[in-house]
Amino acid sequence: MEALVSILLFILIAGFFLRHFGKYLLRFFLKRMAKRFGVDADAFGGAHKGGKAAQQEQPAAPEQIIPDSVGEYVEYEEVK
């Protein structure tokens, strides 16, 4: 009976801890893994740090290399 009470108490404490501090743990592990793989750790800041993704410039439209006449319907005559 003591084991059951201690297991339930542990589950309740762990649930409370993860509910309130889980986002900080996740952020810590994401930055740690980013450093390990050589990725910019600040890229995980997202919208709460000013939205770096929203501030990026839109890429310019690529210039048209293929003319508009290519790929359109062409009339032809059947050769008999």
Side-chain angles (χ1 to χ4, degrees):
M1 188 67 179
E2 277 184 38
L4 179 65
V5 171
S6 61
I7 290 172
L8 286 176
L9 188 61
F10 176 76
I11 290 173
L12 288 174
I13 291 172
F16 175 81
F17 179 76
L18 288 177
R19 187 178 314 125
H20 292 289
F21 300 111
K23 60 182 174 182
Y24 301 114
L25 284 172
L26 182 63
R27 195 174 300 153
F28 170 75
F29 284 120
L30 280 176
K31 286 186 178 186
R32 185 174 169 190
M33 293 304 289
K35 285 181 184 177
R36 180 176 289 177
F37 289 108
V39 180
D40 183 21
D42 293 330
F44 299 112
H48 71 278
K49 288 190 177 180
K52 288 185 179 182
Q55 294 175 356
Q56 292 178 350
E57 295 181 17
Q58 296 293 332
E63 61 182 79
Q64 187 174 6
I65 298 173
I66 302 172
D68 289 333
S69 62
V70 173
E72 293 190 15
Y73 181 75
V74 179
E75 292 185 30
Y76 65 96
E77 291 182 20
E78 241 181 79
V79 179
K80 291 184 181 182

